[in-house]
Amino acid sequence: MINAVLVFNNSGQPRLTKFYTQLDTSVQQRLISEIFTLVSHRPNSACNFLPLPPLLASNSKSTTPQTSMTHTDTPSLITYRHYATLYFILISTSTESPLALLDLIQVFVEALDRLFENVCELDLIFNFETLHAVLGEMIVGGVVVETGLEKVVRGVKEQGKVAKRPVNERSGGGLGVGGFGGFTSVGQGVWSGR
């Protein structure tokens, strides 16, 4: 299971923080700071896998009931990739394959690159809805549901068509239905503005 997806810039400013397990806000903030410090100080020649910092490892053990399943459900691994000015980080359990997680990060970045046509940090800042939509197409509740690049991109584009309908696709003109200026019905209860 994936416990969190984090994206930082080189200065340590979070651009995406998505936790799939419940943690106190103070623990999340300390964890984000600690993980960035660990990842940013590693040389480029180092591997992309790290053990989880003691902060979360000790917290997750103390809040989880002691059963035989706790050893596989506790977060234990950090997997990351560094692209230009951004760090993409996944926190996962030991049941996830580290190489599959690296591939997941690669597909995530490639999907963003296709959607934004040469993605940069500003695209993530100003279009955070698309960033979350891509993540939502790939991971649901901490479980990877899709890794096909074409399916992810198509799914996000289809979501965008529902949310942002171009003006030239409006049916009719003038005042529109019901006398509301600039609003026209585009079918079955969907309204499109200017």
Side-chain angles (χ1 to χ4, degrees), residues 46-171:
C47 74
N48 295 342
F49 313 113
L50 287 168
L52 192 66
L55 174 69
L56 186 60
S58 63
N59 186 1
S60 63
K61 286 179 185 172
S62 64
T63 60
T64 309
Q66 294 297 326
T67 65
S68 61
M69 295 299 289
T70 58
H71 298 291
T72 59
D73 284 345
T74 57
S76 61
L77 181 67
I78 298 172
T79 306
Y80 74 96
R81 292 284 306 260
H82 184 215
Y83 294 95
T85 62
L86 295 170
Y87 289 94
F88 291 81
I89 301 167
L90 297 175
I91 301 173
S92 66
T93 61
S94 60
T95 58
E96 295 289 336
S97 165
L99 295 177
L101 294 176
L102 280 177
D103 186 49
L104 181 68
I105 293 172
Q106 181 68 30
V107 171
F108 184 52
V109 171
E110 284 184 28
L112 292 172
D113 198 48
R114 285 202 187 172
L115 290 165
F116 292 120
E117 299 174 6
N118 200 6
V119 67
C120 68
E121 183 178 352
L122 288 176
D123 292 324
L124 303 184
I125 294 170
F126 293 116
N127 300 297
F128 62 90
E129 297 94 353
T130 305
L131 178 66
H132 283 277
V134 172
L135 190 60
E137 285 288 320
M138 298 177 72
I139 303 170
V140 175
V143 178
V144 178
V145 292
E146 185 60 63
T147 58
L149 180 60
E150 298 300 326
K151 287 183 179 180
V152 170
V153 171
R154 186 176 349 111
V156 172
K157 284 183 177 179
E158 287 172 359
Q159 287 178 21
K161 287 181 183 176
V162 173
K164 298 176 185 175
R165 188 171 300 277
V167 175
N168 60 1
E169 288 186 14
R170 292 190 309 199
S171 61

